[in-house]
Amino acid sequence: MKLDQLYQEIILDHYKRPHGRGLREPFDAEAHHVNPTCGDEVTLRVSIKGDTVADVSYEGMGCSISQASASILHELLKGGTVEESLRRHEAFAELMGGRGQVEPDEAVLEDAVAFAGVARYPARVKCALLPWMAYKDALARAVPEEEKA
Amino acid sequence: MNALDVDAVRKDFPILDREVNGNPLVYLDSGNTSQKPRQVIDAVREHYELHNANVARSVHTLGTEATEAFEGAREKVAAFVGAGTAAEIVFTKNSTEAINLVAHAFTAGAQDPRLRLGPGDEIVITEMEHHSNIVPWQLLAQRTGATLRWFGLTDEGRLDLSRLEDLINERTKLVSVVHYSNLLGTINPVDVLVARARQVGALVLLDGSQSVPHIPVDVTALGADFVAFTGHKMLGPTGIGALWGRFELLDAMPPFLGGGSMIETVAMTGSTFMPPPARFEAGTPPIAEAVGLGAAVDYLSAVGMDAIQAHEKQLTAYALDALAATPDVRVIGPTDTADRGATISFTVDGIHPHDVGQILDDEGVQVRVGHHCARPTCVRFGVPATTRASFYLYTTISEIDALVRGLERVRKVFA
């Protein structure tokens, strides 16, 4: 059934038992993103040590898709390199923009492949992307341009 | 009053025959936009097929027919809301434009003292307004230095009138209030507000976006100065709305948008303007849309606004009882049918409205989720968003049952 593709067990699990939730110190930058059509909000902090994403902490309110997405983002990006996080960000954005036609790479996206079904629901894509956009924003503030090159 | 025959009504709405996700369509989002009866769809098509031409400028036959149809629609709308004359109906794009039109009549240098606004003057709204009746006044306050004030709400979702005399006072120039709240369903006590505004010499604008489609509205009896409403929520097309205003007041107002059709004469050194309503209708208007709106008010009048109101009251009573008996559901807004319309917002404990709406959609049930363009109302009730079911003349009791069944499935998925 279609709806099961949207509300996959992994998504519901992350929604009910979010990983890494709560805003933590220290952090290098913070971003607050809002989805103006529905009022979903996320505040996300990044802590960068050298080229490593030392922590991603977040707080937010919203639907199961946006909140589970933040939880999975935390799992996926924390502890990896900044470069790796950008690669995963790109893969996730591509999956979400693919209208269900993009085959996700499980090696890159891990649990986030569960969001493949969300891409078939255009009204929900923004929910899934909300924390990822906040991450990119926070990262840009934390890492000066020349260091990213 | 003849009772409404909902089965007969439904036969006039072609869209109600379709399916959504393998289930019969259950359309509970009429507060957002209404569905259209065949009579309206036919009127628009017929206009384009047989009478299409621009209005108010052609001597040819088609131009005359189009002008007559357009002005005829204005007369129908005027009669429908009890306006004194058709000249009191200004066609706009929607309610939002109608409200902005009024907002732009207020300036620091206005000739008419009623429209003169500056530091020390006050505009009064409420905490249950749609963004379209908040933002234009915030912008106006910024332009003029006037102060924006507002009525708070009670926990039952009604206006808190305990500060009536403080909020509407000698400094108040305009009171702009929603007649029938799009989020709470509350119908506000216009008489109390108008009486107080009259005491202090303030003008009153009513946002009738939800009231004009659903309850009998007589603008003259209401006693306000302006009423804004929109066509697409009352069986008409999108892109057409109206501002009713007392003629004498409209006539004291400056133009809104400048352009063709609103001028008397134009010279390179300056222009003079037409009387209302033409003064406020620059450019080619939404002609076919006005014709469609005329057909819509014909349809509503034939069914009878009293009958529609009675039908919706029955649905509301049934739905309020059913929702009260559904676990984890909390209605935001009045929980009895007194002074309330057929728009019911609610939350489901622990489940975000987006998720509620998604699962209901899978069942074919179309509800609106979110803040309904009334974020301050959500904030007042401590919720980020709500799920909203809104009914109309074609809504049935069994559709409310489908909503309640859908809510049971919502709870199962998120258990």
Side-chain angles (χ1 to χ4, degrees):
Chain A
M1 172 181 282
K2 254 173 93 186
L3 199 65
D4 295 340
Q5 293 172 7
L6 177 67
Y7 292 119
Q8 299 221 0
E9 278 306 316
I10 294 173
I11 293 178
L12 292 176
D13 279 349
H14 275 276
Y15 175 53
K16 290 171 191 165
R17 284 172 293 277
H19 301 193
R21 194 182 168 92
L23 293 171
R24 288 180 291 276
E25 310 266 353
F27 65 99
D28 297 298
E30 179 179 294
H32 176 72
H33 276 220
V34 177
N35 182 344
T37 55
C38 62
D40 280 10
E41 294 185 25
V42 67
T43 304
L44 186 143
R45 290 175 175 178
V46 293
S47 170
I48 307 294
K49 296 257 165 22
D51 61 358
T52 302
V53 181
D55 194 14
V56 181
S57 66
Y58 65 94
E59 195 55 76
M61 57 177 190
C63 66
S64 58
I65 304 297
S66 71
Q67 301 305 299
S69 180
S71 173
I72 288 175
L73 178 149
H74 165 87
E75 286 289 290
L76 238 58
L77 304 192
K78 188 191 164 186
T81 66
V82 169
E83 196 197 330
E84 189 178 75
S85 81
L86 288 170
R87 209 165 57 238
R88 287 183 154 160
H89 185 287
E90 195 182 333
F92 190 76
E94 191 198 346
L95 177 64
M96 286 299 101
R99 295 205 157 242
Q101 304 303 309
V102 172
E103 192 59 41
D105 183 347
E106 197 158 357
V108 176
L109 288 174
E110 300 180 20
D111 270 7
V113 296
F115 285 85
V118 177
R120 294 174 203 275
Y121 291 83
R124 305 304 294 278
V125 166
K126 271 187 294 186
C127 310
L129 284 174
L130 184 70
W132 293 80
M133 293 302 166
Y135 174 76
K136 196 158 190 198
D137 204 5
L139 186 67
R141 289 176 206 180
V143 183
E145 277 305 315
E146 59 269 26
E147 283 179 40
K148 269 192 285 186
Chain B
M1 178 181 91
N2 292 320
L4 183 151
D5 179 351
V6 71
D7 292 330
V9 164
R10 288 178 70 85
K11 290 197 177 76
D12 290 330
F13 290 78
I15 205 169
L16 298 180
D17 287 337
R18 72 162 278 182
E19 293 193 341
V20 169
N21 295 322
N23 294 296
L25 166 67
V26 175
Y27 188 75
L28 302 180
D29 199 17
S30 292
N32 205 349
T33 195
S34 68
Q35 296 304 343
K36 321 302 174 197
R38 195 178 299 283
Q39 289 83 340
V40 168
I41 300 166
D42 285 350
V44 174
R45 201 195 56 236
E46 216 175 278
H47 174 80
Y48 281 126
E49 284 181 353
L50 298 173
H51 310 292
N52 182 54
N54 211 331
V55 295
R57 64 194 67 185
S58 312
V59 294
H60 54 63
T61 300
L62 290 186
T64 307
E65 287 175 8
T67 303
E68 277 171 6
F70 181 69
E71 292 305 327
R74 194 191 306 278
E75 278 165 27
K76 287 177 184 184
V77 171
F80 183 71
V81 297
T85 70
E88 292 189 328
I89 297 292
V90 179
F91 280 135
T92 61
K93 187 166 67 180
N94 45 34
S95 295
T96 300
E97 191 182 69
I99 294 169
N100 277 276
L101 191 166
V102 175
H104 279 270
F106 287 87
T107 53
Q111 280 184 350
D112 191 306
R114 294 171 297 179
L115 301 171
R116 205 175 296 146
L117 198 69
D121 293 329
E122 295 176 1
I123 306 157
V124 178
I125 59 174
T126 82
E127 216 175 359
M128 67 166 84
E129 300 307 320
H130 188 281
H131 295 163
S132 62
N133 199 25
I134 300 174
V135 181
W137 308 117
Q138 290 175 335
L139 294 173
L140 176 62
Q142 278 171 18
R143 285 197 298 275
T144 60
T147 303
L148 184 62
R149 303 182 71 189
W150 54 89
F151 282 94
L153 309 182
T154 67
D155 290 342
E156 290 72 44
R158 306 218 179 253
L159 285 187
D160 176 4
L161 293 170
S162 62
R163 293 177 59 214
L164 176 69
E165 306 208 339
D166 164 47
L167 280 167
I168 303 179
N169 59 52
E170 302 295 332
R171 297 183 299 278
T172 309
K173 299 301 280 277
L174 178 76
V175 180
S176 190
V177 176
V178 68
H179 190 187
Y180 166 164
S181 158
N182 77 310
L183 193 147
L184 301 167
T186 311
I187 296 176
N188 283 319
V190 175
D191 51 344
V192 176
L193 298 164
V194 166
R196 177 62 188 156
R198 288 287 167 264
Q199 281 176 1
V200 299
L203 298 173
V204 178
L205 186 155
L206 286 184
D207 174 0
S209 304
Q210 302 289 341
S211 60
V212 171
H214 293 276
I215 60 178
V217 168
D218 182 323
V219 293
T220 312
L222 280 171
D225 299 288
F226 304 102
V227 179
F229 53 102
T230 192
H232 72 95
K233 293 189 200 293
M234 50 192 286
L235 312 185
T238 54
I240 180 91
L243 173 70
W244 168 81
R246 286 193 293 110
F247 188 84
E248 169 273 322
L249 195 54
L250 290 175
D251 200 33
M253 286 160 55
F256 175 42
L257 301 174
S261 303
M262 52 79 76
I263 47 87
E264 277 174 345
T265 178
V266 175
M268 294 315 290
T269 49
S271 304
T272 58
F273 307 111
M274 294 281 281
R279 184 184 302 163
F280 306 106
E281 295 179 356
T284 295
I287 303 163
E289 288 79 359
V291 170
L293 179 57
V297 302
D298 281 347
Y299 188 91
L300 291 170
S301 300
V303 176
M305 290 308 292
D306 288 322
I308 291 170
Q309 185 180 28
H311 175 69
E312 291 186 14
K313 196 158 195 141
Q314 243 177 7
L315 295 169
T316 306
Y318 185 85
L320 286 170
D321 283 349
L323 290 172
T326 308
D328 304 332
V329 168
R330 174 167 75 108
V331 169
I332 308 286
T335 50
D336 60 74
T337 59
D339 296 324
R340 113 171 311 286
T343 295
I344 305 177
S345 275
F346 58 88
T347 59
V348 184
D349 273 357
I351 307 174
H352 192 276
H354 257 184
D355 295 317
V356 174
Q358 191 78 62
I359 291 164
L360 290 177
D361 175 64
D362 201 56
E363 302 278 319
V365 179
Q366 314 287 291
V367 294
R368 181 159 175 197
V369 297
H371 53 46
H372 315 291
C373 298
R375 194 174 164 277
T377 317
C378 287
V379 171
R380 163 63 181 80
F381 288 95
V383 294
T386 74
T387 302
R388 183 188 74 178
S390 52
F391 315 139
Y392 210 177
L393 71 168
Y394 40 68
T395 308
T396 64
I397 293 284
S398 67
E399 289 182 307
I400 296 168
D401 292 336
L403 168 68
V404 171
R405 274 198 310 277
L407 290 172
E408 277 157 21
R409 180 153 173 236
V410 168
R411 289 174 59 243
K412 264 183 219 145
V413 172
F414 282 89

